[in-house]
Amino acid sequence: MPVDDAPLPPTLPTEILDLIVEFALLSGHCDDAASSDVFVLIAPLTLASSVLRLLTLRRFLRHIIFSRVEFKPQHSQWNGFFKLLESLVDRTGGESFTWVKSIRASSKTLMGRYHSARLAALTNLEELSIDLATEGLITQKPFLKLIDSASPRLTMLTLTSLPCIDIQLLKFIAATFPCLLDLYLSCTERLHFHCWSCYEESLGRTTHSPIPDVFSSASHMAAVFARILKPLAHLVHLHLGVYLSDEMLIQYHIDHAETEELRPFGPEMCTLCEIASTDVQMRELEAGLEFAQSLKALQTVGFSSFFDDTPAYRSTIRKATAAPPISDNKTTVYILRGNGRIKVKKSPWSRVA
């Protein structure tokens, strides 16, 4: 038989190859694993054939997580990421930029001369998660100008370690990302529990408790914030990582809890501070109800809290010993609508409620 007439070896359908790639990515999946680490696991697939390379990169580029370790600016992760996208332009007709659906990074990674225009090139971006631990009250505003170029079709925005959650930030978000379903903003990750001095210093660099200096009450804060966020007509989940307890609660706690024998801990571990828990939990429910009345699609609203009243909190955090664990310091208010009424509580509603 002539060589030219020899039967071609059987090839797997593209759908099967795509499933193989998906399985390979899932096998190396970890919520906090940087994309550079995941790529090492699937790199051999990109060398097997041109078809498999495109299939692999298409799936790999959907969800990008940049590591916290940065290189020199000219060799940054962000630059390397865009070089990869640009190398695929000819093969994909420019579609490689539309493959990217979500990005998780630090603000330091995204800061750069051309980074704003590059972020705008990711026209199908749906989820953006950024840690602002390296920013301060002065640099938070310039950072907002950077993400102003992100896709207006974002459905999930997460900004953690914010120096401040204020009216300016919320106005920017409401005007820039009208399609949001999930908005997570938080300041309290900035509080450092390494030692008592670090704890006090980080408190001074973070607007962690806006009551009563910024807002007179939790209901007042919620009414103002809800009015600003009202353009987000599709918002289902909202988290505001600030404490609704009085600002001085933490300072009072430090005054009577500081000790050389223990690492710092918050009022959630303190029996003297527990007297404030009932009042704070009521504030959280009142604020949740205020948000629910303005944001018609809202199903949950969360806050940072020292006094979560869920069973898990009561059974673990309050039974601490001499070496107290650092609690999650979050609480969630669940919203139920029906018969023209709105109800809120601290645990999920059953379907028959």
Side-chain angles (χ1 to χ4, degrees):
M1 178 182 295
V3 174
D4 292 343
D5 295 333
L8 295 174
T11 58
L12 289 173
T14 302
E15 294 79 6
I16 300 297
L17 292 174
D18 196 33
L19 288 174
I20 294 173
V21 172
E22 181 182 16
F23 178 78
L25 285 172
L26 287 175
S27 66
H29 175 75
C30 175
D31 286 342
D32 295 322
S35 293
S36 55
D37 297 327
V38 175
F39 187 78
V40 172
L41 301 176
I42 53 94
L45 294 175
T46 67
L47 304 175
S49 71
S50 58
V51 172
L52 200 54
R53 174 177 174 80
L54 286 180
L55 288 173
T56 301
L57 292 177
R58 185 183 185 110
R59 281 200 170 270
F60 169 74
L61 289 168
R62 287 183 183 179
H63 307 289
I64 297 297
I65 300 177
F66 292 104
S67 70
R68 293 180 178 273
V69 180
E70 263 297 351
F71 307 102
K72 294 181 180 179
Q74 63 270 30
H75 301 300
S76 72
Q77 301 171 75
W78 190 244
N79 287 339
F81 169 59
F82 268 86
K83 285 181 181 179
L84 175 58
L85 291 175
E86 289 164 356
S87 71
L88 297 169
V89 167
D90 292 339
R91 292 291 309 276
T92 65
E95 289 187 2
S96 55
F97 287 88
T98 69
W99 291 351
V100 184
K101 302 295 184 184
S102 75
I103 287 180
R104 189 193 306 179
S106 69
S107 58
K108 183 179 179 181
T109 298
L110 294 184
M111 288 292 196
R113 185 175 179 182
Y114 304 108
H115 290 9
S116 179
R118 286 175 164 179
L119 191 60
L122 307 177
T123 54
N124 278 3
L125 192 66
E126 297 174 357
E127 301 177 10
L128 183 60
S129 179
I130 305 175
D131 183 273
L132 288 88
T134 58
E135 308 305 322
L137 292 170
I138 296 177
T139 58
Q140 178 170 307
K141 184 177 179 180
F143 169 78
L144 295 181
K145 293 181 180 179
L146 170 66
I147 64 171
D148 184 35
S149 59
S151 171
R153 298 195 294 179
L154 278 184
T155 59
M156 180 182 293
L157 176 63
T158 300
L159 302 177
T160 55
S161 298
L162 283 160
C164 179
I165 298 175
D166 57 12
I167 290 175
Q168 180 185 29
L169 172 64
L170 297 182
K171 282 184 175 180
F172 164 78
I173 292 172
T176 309
F177 306 114
C179 299
L180 284 178
L181 302 176
D182 194 322
L183 176 60
Y184 189 104
L185 307 173
S186 185
C187 295
T188 52
E189 297 87 357
R190 297 173 70 91
L191 304 186
H192 299 305
F193 289 85
H194 308 300
C195 66
W196 286 103
S197 296
C198 296
Y199 188 24
E200 290 191 88
E201 181 183 357
S202 62
L203 288 170
R205 293 185 285 107
T206 307
T207 306
H208 52 82
S209 305
I211 300 168
D213 285 356
V214 182
F215 299 99
S216 59
S217 66
S219 295
H220 178 209
M221 184 202 78
V224 173
F225 283 2
R227 185 168 61 251
I228 296 170
L229 295 176
K230 200 164 186 177
L232 303 181
H234 310 289
L235 192 65
V236 176
H237 303 292
L238 171 65
H239 181 88
L240 297 175
V242 293
Y243 297 117
L244 300 190
S245 47
D246 285 352
E247 182 178 10
M248 287 305 297
L249 174 70
I250 303 180
Q251 190 57 55
Y252 292 149
H253 165 70
I254 291 175
D255 290 343
H256 64 248
E258 185 173 355
T259 170
E260 296 180 359
E261 288 76 25
L262 293 176
R263 66 179 181 180
F265 57 93
E268 76 277 7
M269 303 299 307
C270 181
T271 55
L272 292 178
C273 292
E274 192 174 338
I275 192 173
S277 63
T278 301
D279 180 55
V280 172
Q281 290 161 12
M282 184 58 65
R283 291 182 184 186
E284 292 159 357
L285 289 171
E286 291 172 351
L289 183 60
E290 192 72 48
F291 277 111
Q293 290 171 341
S294 294
L295 304 174
K296 304 303 182 182
L298 201 64
Q299 295 179 11
T300 67
V301 56
F303 306 99
S304 293
S305 181
F306 292 117
F307 306 112
D308 188 2
D309 59 351
T310 61
Y313 167 74
R314 290 195 298 266
S315 63
T316 57
I317 300 303
R318 295 191 184 182
K319 292 181 179 178
T321 58
I326 297 174
S327 70
D328 198 25
N329 281 1
K330 296 178 185 177
T331 192
T332 301
V333 175
Y334 296 85
I335 300 164
L336 179 68
R337 305 172 193 272
N339 300 321
R341 300 178 62 190
I342 300 175
K343 299 179 181 180
V344 294
K345 67 175 183 175
K346 291 293 195 71
S347 58
W349 292 92
S350 64
R351 293 183 180 180
V352 296

